[in-house]
C-alpha cells in the first residue's frame, strides 16, 4: 500500500483527535496542492507522522507494517476520547492486535496501549449511566424497635435507588456523580466530583465525595453492625483531596468545609449553636516497606467555629493514628490501628474521661483460599471513654440506643459521637463462598462496656454488655440480581433492648 493511501486509515484513526487546526506541512516532497497536504501537516504537528531525516515524507513508497504500527501507537497517545465513537475504538483495538508484533519490536508496551484503549472504551459515547435498586423487608420481635429502627414490627420499603453518572471529559479528567433517593431520604446528589490527573503523578479530586482511609479495617457482611471506620468513610464531604504517588507509597491530604445554617438538628442545645460550621483537615502517608509490611500514618483535625454570641463551648478535636499491616502470605494478614486523640477543647466532658483518649483495634484475617471452605475475620477493639468519632456508623449499636450515648449529636453529615464509657468489642466473622450463586456468613460480636448511667435508670450505674449474632446467605440469581436473607439478634443487659430481626433484601444493579 502506498504511503499516501495508508495515510487514509491513519486519518480515520485520529479523526477524533483534539481540535483540528491548520498546520504547515513540514515535508518538502508533499506539494501544497496535494489532496492530503493539510491532513499530513496536522498529523505531523501532533506527532503522529514523522518523515525521513532528509525532510521528505516519501508518500509514493509502500508503507511498512512498522510504520503503520508506529503511527497507531502515536495516534493512541493523542486521541481525544470525547470525539471517539464505538467504531473508532473498535478500529483501534483491531489495529493494536494486528500490529502487536511490530509494536513489540518497536519497544512499545502493548499492555499500556490496551489500557489506553480500555480508558477510551470507558469514556466512549459520552455519559455512562449505571444504577442500584434495593428493597428491604424487615420484621422484629419488639413492637417499636429502637435498635433496628423498625416500627410496629414490620418495615418494608425501598431503601435505596442510586444512579451513577460517569463522564470521561478528556484524557486525565473525568466527572462522577451519584444521585440517591428512597428510604425516606429526599433525592439528592450524594457525590459529585471531578478527578484531574496532575503532573508529577499527583491527582486531585474536588467536590462532594466520600473519603475512606480505613476500608481495610472493617468487615461488611450483610445484616451486621459496625461497618465503618472511626475517622473516615462518610459521604458528603465537600472537599479538595490531593494525592501524590511515590514508588513505595502515597501521600494524601484533604480539606473540607461545612458551612450551612440549616444543619443543627437539636436547636434546644443552644450551647452548640454554630458548631455546625467547621473545617476538617487531614493528611496521611502510606509506605510499603516491602510486599509483607506496610504502614499508614495520619492526622485529622476538626476545627469548629464558635462565633455566635453566647456560645461558650468549643468542640475542636484532633487525632493521630497509625495503621500497620503484615502479610504473612496472601491468605494470612495481621493488621490494626492505634488512635490517639486530643479532646481538650471538645464540648462537654464525659465524666472520668481524659483529654487524650485513645482507641486501637487488631484484626487477623484468613482468606477462604487458605482454609478452603471459609474465610475468618477475628477483630478486637478497645475504645476509651471520651473518644470522639465523626462517624457514628462505626459503633452503630451504641449510637442507635440513645441512652447509651447521651452525648451523641447529629451535625448533618458525619454523625459525631463521643463514646460514653470504656468499651471492649470483639468481632468474629466467617464468610463462605460456595459457588457463583451462593454464599453464606456467620457473625458474632460482644460489647463489653463499663458501667454506664443510662437516663432510663435514673443515673445509676449499670452494666451494658451485649452480644450480637448474625447468620444469613446471599443468592445471586443473576449477576445483576441478588436475594439476601439474614437473622440478627441482640442480647443486652438492658432488657428493653433485647431484640431480633429477620431481614430479606432484594438488590438489583444495572
Amino acid at each position: 500500500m502506498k504511503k499516501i493511501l495508508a495515510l487514509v486509515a491513519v486519518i480515520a484513526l485520529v479523526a477524533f483527535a483534539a481540535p483540528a487546526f491548520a498546520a504547515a506541512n513540514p515535508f518538502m516532497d508533499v506539494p501544497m496542492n496535494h489532496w492530503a497536504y493539510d491532513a499530513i501537516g496536522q498529523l505531523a504537528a501532533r506527532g503522529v507522522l514523522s518523515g525521513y531525516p532528509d525532510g521528505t515524507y516519501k508518500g509514493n513508497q509502500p508503507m511498512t507494517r512498522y510504520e503503520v504500527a508506529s503511527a497507531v501507537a502515536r495516534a493512541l497517545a493523542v486521541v481525544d476520547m470525547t470525539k471517539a465513537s464505538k467504531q473508532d475504538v473498535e478500529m483501534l483495538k483491531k489495529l493494536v492486535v494486528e500490529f502487536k508484533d511490530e509494536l513489540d519490536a518497536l519497544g512499545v508496551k502493548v499492555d499500556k496501549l490496551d489500557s489506553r484503549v480500555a480508558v477510551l472504551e470507558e469514556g466512549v459515547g459520552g455519559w455512562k449511566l449505571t444504577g442500584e435498586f434495593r428493597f428491604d423487608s424487615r420484621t422484629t420481635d419488639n413492637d417499636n424497635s429502637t435498635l433496628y429502627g423498625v416500627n410496629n414490627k414490620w418495615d418494608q420499603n425501598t431503601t435505596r435507588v442510586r444512579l451513577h453518572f460517569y463522564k470521561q471529559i478528556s484524557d486525565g479528567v473525568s466527572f462522577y456523580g451519584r444521585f440517591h433517593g428512597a428510604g425516606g431520604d429526599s433525592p439528592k446528589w450524594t457525590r459529585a466530583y471531578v478527578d484531574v490527573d496532575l503532573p508529577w503523578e499527583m491527582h486531585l479530586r474536588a467536590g462532594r465525595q466520600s473519603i475512606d482511609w480505613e476500608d481495610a479495617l472493617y468487615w461488611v457482611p450483610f445484616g451486621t453492625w459496625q461497618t465503618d471506620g472511626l475517622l473516615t468513610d462518610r459521604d458528603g464531604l465537600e472537599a479538595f483531596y490531593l494525592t501524590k504517588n511515590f514508588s513505595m507509597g502515597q501521600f494524601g491530604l484533604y480539606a473540607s468545609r461545612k458551612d450551612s445554617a440549616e444543619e443543627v438538628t437539636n436547636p434546644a442545645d443552644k450551647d452548640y449553636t454554630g458548631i455546625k460550621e467547621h473545617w476538617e483537615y487531614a493528611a496521611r502517608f502510606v509506605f510499603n516497606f516491602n510486599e509483607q509490611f506496610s504502614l499508614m500514618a495520619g492526622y485529622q483535625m476538626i476545627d469548629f467555629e464558635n462565633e455566635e454570641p453566647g456560645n461558650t463551648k468549643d468542640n475542636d478535636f484532633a487525632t493521630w493514628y497509625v495503621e500497620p499491616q503484615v502479610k504473612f502470605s496472601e491468605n494470612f494478614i495481621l493488621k490494626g490501628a492505634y488512635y490517639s486523640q486530643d479532646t481538650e477543647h471538645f464540648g462537654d466532658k464525659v465524666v472520668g474521661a481524659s483529654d487524650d483518649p485513645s482507641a486501637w483495634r487488631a484484626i487477623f484475617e484468613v482468606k477462604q483460599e487458605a482454609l478452603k471452605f471459609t474465610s475468618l475475620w477475628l477483630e478486637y477493639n478497645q475504645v476509651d471513654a471520651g473518644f470522639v468519632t465523626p462517624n457514628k456508623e462505626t459503633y452503630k449499636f451504641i449510637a442507635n440506643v440513645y441512652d447509651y450515648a447521651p452525648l451523641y449529636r447529629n451535625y448533618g453529615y458525619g454523625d459525631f459521637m463521643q463514646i460514653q464509657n470504656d468499651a471492649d468489642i470483639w468481632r468474629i466473622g466467617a464468610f463462605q463462598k460456595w459457588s457463583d450463586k451462593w454464599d453464606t456468613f456467620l457473625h458474632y460480636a460482644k460489647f463489653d462496656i463499663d458501667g454506664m448511667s443510662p437516663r432510663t435508670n435514673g443515673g445509676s450505674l449499670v452494666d451494658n454488655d451485649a452480644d450480637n449474632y448474625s447468620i444469613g446467605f446471599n443468592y445471586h440469581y443473576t449477576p445483576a440480581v441478588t436475594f439476601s436473607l439474614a437473622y440478627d439478634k441482640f442480647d443486652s443487659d438492658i432488657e428493653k433492648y433485647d431484640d431480633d430481626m429477620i431481614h430479606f433484601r432484594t438488590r438489583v444493579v444495572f
Side-chain angles (χ1 to χ4, degrees), residues 405-426:
L407 287 182
Y408 156 68
R409 286 180 295 276
N410 188 326
Y411 295 118
Y413 89 89
D415 300 323
F416 289 74
M417 182 180 74
Q418 188 169 33
I419 303 300
Q420 179 75 359
N421 286 67
D422 293 344
D424 297 86
I425 302 166
W426 285 93

Side-chain angles (χ1 to χ4, degrees), residues 333-506:
I333 304 171
L334 177 64
K335 53 192 171 185
Y338 176 79
Y339 306 84
S340 180
Q341 202 163 63
D342 177 6
T343 59
E344 182 180 0
H345 303 291
F346 184 81
D348 288 337
K349 295 299 176 190
V350 170
V351 176
S354 69
D355 290 334
D356 54 351
S358 63
W360 64 275
R361 61 175 54 173
I363 298 161
F364 186 60
E365 183 179 7
V366 182
K367 304 289 188 181
Q368 183 168 340
E369 288 76 9
L371 302 178
K372 305 303 180 186
F373 71 98
T374 185
S375 66
L376 283 178
W377 181 276
L378 309 174
E379 174 184 333
Y380 174 72
N381 299 267
Q382 187 176 79
V383 187
D384 288 348
F387 193 89
V388 183
T389 170
N391 189 359
K392 76 166 185 175
E393 296 294 319
T394 304
Y395 296 107
K396 199 170 183 179
F397 158 63
I398 300 175
N400 272 24
V401 183
Y402 185 76
D403 296 282
Y404 280 54
L407 287 182
Y408 156 68
R409 286 180 295 276
N410 188 326
Y411 295 118
Y413 89 89
D415 300 323
F416 289 74
M417 182 180 74
Q418 188 169 33
I419 303 300
Q420 179 75 359
N421 286 67
D422 293 344
D424 297 86
I425 302 166
W426 285 93
R427 296 183 68 212
I428 302 173
F431 180 86
Q432 304 85 30
K433 181 176 175 59
W434 303 105
S435 68
D436 291 338
K437 292 287 187 181
W438 293 93
D439 52 66
T440 58
F441 66 86
L442 297 166
H443 173 256
Y444 169 72
K446 181 175 181 58
F447 297 84
D448 185 0
I449 305 172
D450 287 355
M452 300 175 64
S453 54
R455 297 175 180 181
T456 51
N457 287 342
S460 59
L461 294 177
V462 297
D463 289 333
N464 289 272
D465 298 343
D467 298 282
N468 172 215
Y469 312 86
S470 303
I471 184 172
F473 70 85
N474 299 305
Y475 174 62
H476 306 282
Y477 179 65
T478 71
V481 180
T482 299
F483 299 105
S484 302
L485 179 64
Y487 173 74
D488 197 88
K489 178 177 176 59
F490 262 93
D491 185 6
S492 170
D493 284 344
I494 300 180
E495 186 175 352
K496 77 173 192 174
Y497 294 125
D498 288 349
D499 206 351
D500 55 12
M501 174 180 66
I502 297 174
H503 193 157
F504 183 73
R505 170 173 293 171
T506 302

Side-chain angles (χ1 to χ4, degrees), residues 272-303:
Y272 289 90
T273 301
I275 60 175
K276 57 192 177 296
E277 298 179 352
H278 62 271
W279 282 96
E280 177 175 336
Y281 316 96
R284 72 164 183 174
F285 186 75
V286 183
F287 193 81
N288 301 307
F289 291 88
N290 50 49
E291 293 183 356
Q292 285 74 44
F293 180 64
S294 64
L295 182 69
M296 179 194 303
Y299 174 79
Q300 183 192 64
M301 174 73 189
I302 310 294
D303 184 7

Side-chain angles (χ1 to χ4, degrees), residues 294-315:
S294 64
L295 182 69
M296 179 194 303
Y299 174 79
Q300 183 192 64
M301 174 73 189
I302 310 294
D303 184 7
F304 288 94
E305 296 180 2
N306 297 336
E307 298 177 348
E308 298 187 14
N311 190 346
T312 59
K313 297 181 179 179
D314 202 348
N315 290 275

Side-chain angles (χ1 to χ4, degrees), residues 15-59:
F16 37 85
F21 56 92
N25 198 309
F27 308 116
M28 65 178 66
D29 60 340
V30 180
M32 292 187 64
N33 60 352
H34 195 282
W35 62 270
Y37 180 87
D38 290 340
I40 294 174
Q42 291 177 21
L43 295 173
R46 298 194 60 79
V48 176
L49 295 182
S50 61
Y52 292 90
D54 62 0
T56 61
Y57 179 64
K58 303 185 187 307

